[in-house]
Amino acid sequence: MRPVILPDGERVRVVHCPPPADASGDVPAVVCVHGWGCSAFSFNRVLRPIADAGCDVYAPDLRGHGWSDKPQDLARYTPEALGTWLLRVVDALRLERAVLVGHSMGGAVVLHAALQAPARAAGLVLLAPVGFGTIPRIGLLRTLTPDALVPLLPYLAFRAVVDVGLRTGYGAIGAPSADDVDEYWAPTADPAFARAVRLVAHAFDWSPTDPRVLEGLACPAHVVLGERDNLISSPSVRAHVARVAGLRVDEVPRAGHVLPEEVPDAVVRAVVDDARAWWRPDRGAS
């Protein structure tokens, strides 16, 4: 783990898993972006296996999350703003291009980064992504977090709330451990965390991306869904993706929303296979 400082002074915590020392040739760079209310810990079961398969893997804490800076400015949490933020992180890591892996809200973030700077994305692996289907509960979340509640938010981030929220993300495969809950709960020790994730909930566009915009995507993309995702409607994702030529879609039986936690082997296989297929020695990262 190491802090990365962006040109404007913003600090970003990044987890780095390098490839084996004996890895040869042009090694694919992979950047994994987590979802709302989480941190790089959500990829804890997949980072090392992806790296051991011959990739140079990075996982930043999103702006407003984990141990990254948490500006209290609504405009800094739109999909476009976070897409730009991700490109600045990639610059700070001195990566010319990377395979971008996005889970949940992170899927929409990597999509916007790829649309803003097509040459920087070798391809997208989108795990239960926001921006491709309906999210029935987002309206309720916004209703339950009005402006008047902001001063109280740091005092309402109980461990039990995190526990219930994490368990809701699972399908029929496994369940979070007590240690998992502790890791997801840990960032709430910073009072700015609860306020920042509330800003994200209100500033981010959670609706499906216009298919005409998706058709402008210049890199390959692979959507991986959980059959029993309780947060993002899998049928609505399939219907939306079907309107865009060239998007590959796979569904993991019995899995829920937190695919990197619930089915790490399937996620590792998808990312590694895609990285190997998309990475070209003549267009490598620096």
Side-chain angles (χ1 to χ4, degrees), residues 33-174:
V33 182
H34 64 81
W36 180 82
C38 302
S39 70
F41 179 78
S42 62
F43 292 106
N44 76 98
R45 291 179 171 88
V46 303
L47 296 180
R48 176 45 57 192
I50 294 171
D52 287 345
C55 297
D56 192 19
V57 189
Y58 301 84
D61 285 345
L62 268 171
R63 170 186 284 164
H65 293 74
W67 282 264
S68 290
D69 280 353
K70 302 168 180 66
Q72 302 296 303
D73 178 358
L74 199 68
R76 302 188 74 175
Y77 294 107
T78 65
E80 295 79 11
L82 289 175
T84 300
W85 170 90
L86 177 58
L87 292 172
R88 289 174 180 165
V89 173
V90 171
D91 284 341
L93 295 172
R94 299 184 179 178
L95 301 175
E96 183 179 319
R97 58 196 286 271
V99 174
L100 302 179
V101 179
H103 173 237
S104 192
M105 188 187 84
V109 173
V110 303
L111 172 64
H112 278 270
L115 290 170
Q116 290 178 36
R120 310 303 298 280
L124 306 180
V125 183
L126 304 166
L127 308 170
V130 167
F132 289 81
T134 58
I135 306 175
R137 301 181 185 182
I138 191 62
L140 178 62
L141 176 62
R142 286 172 166 171
T143 299
L144 293 176
T145 55
D147 291 347
L149 192 65
V150 171
L152 300 177
L153 287 176
Y155 305 101
L156 300 177
F158 302 116
R159 184 181 183 280
V161 173
V162 175
D163 189 2
V164 171
L166 185 55
R167 290 179 186 279
T168 299
Y170 277 71
I173 304 174

Side-chain angles (χ1 to χ4, degrees), residues 1-4 12-20 27-32 40 43 47-48 50-52 55-61 93 95 286:
M1 292 180 284
R2 62 188 176 99
V4 169
V12 181
R13 194 280 290 258
V14 178
V15 177
H16 179 210
C17 287
V27 175
V30 176
V31 178
C32 300
F43 292 106
L47 296 180
R48 176 45 57 192
I50 294 171
D52 287 345
C55 297
D56 192 19
V57 189
Y58 301 84
D61 285 345
L93 295 172
L95 301 175
S286 58

Side-chain angles (χ1 to χ4, degrees), residues 119-230:
R120 310 303 298 280
L124 306 180
V125 183
L126 304 166
L127 308 170
V130 167
F132 289 81
T134 58
I135 306 175
R137 301 181 185 182
I138 191 62
L140 178 62
L141 176 62
R142 286 172 166 171
T143 299
L144 293 176
T145 55
D147 291 347
L149 192 65
V150 171
L152 300 177
L153 287 176
Y155 305 101
L156 300 177
F158 302 116
R159 184 181 183 280
V161 173
V162 175
D163 189 2
V164 171
L166 185 55
R167 290 179 186 279
T168 299
Y170 277 71
I173 304 174
S177 68
D179 287 343
D180 292 337
V181 176
D182 286 341
E183 289 288 347
Y184 278 88
W185 183 50
T188 67
D190 181 354
F193 172 79
R195 294 192 291 267
V197 295
R198 183 259 177 192
L199 286 173
V200 179
H202 286 258
F204 206 78
D205 182 358
W206 303 90
S207 61
T209 306
D210 188 327
R212 292 170 295 183
V213 173
L214 295 175
E215 287 172 356
L217 191 62
C219 65
H222 180 191
V223 178
V224 183
L225 307 173
E227 179 193 20
R228 301 193 183 184
D229 192 328
N230 294 316

Side-chain angles (χ1 to χ4, degrees), residues 210-275:
D210 188 327
R212 292 170 295 183
V213 173
L214 295 175
E215 287 172 356
L217 191 62
C219 65
H222 180 191
V223 178
V224 183
L225 307 173
E227 179 193 20
R228 301 193 183 184
D229 192 328
N230 294 316
L231 300 178
I232 295 178
S233 168
S234 182
S236 73
V237 174
R238 282 190 169 279
H240 193 69
V241 168
R243 301 170 63 188
V244 183
L247 284 182
R248 175 184 164 200
V249 184
D250 286 315
E251 188 172 78
V252 182
R254 303 177 64 239
H257 185 68
V258 288
L259 297 173
E261 299 267 19
E262 199 172 5
V263 286
D265 290 347
V267 170
V268 171
R269 187 165 53 251
V271 173
V272 171
D273 287 351
D274 287 340

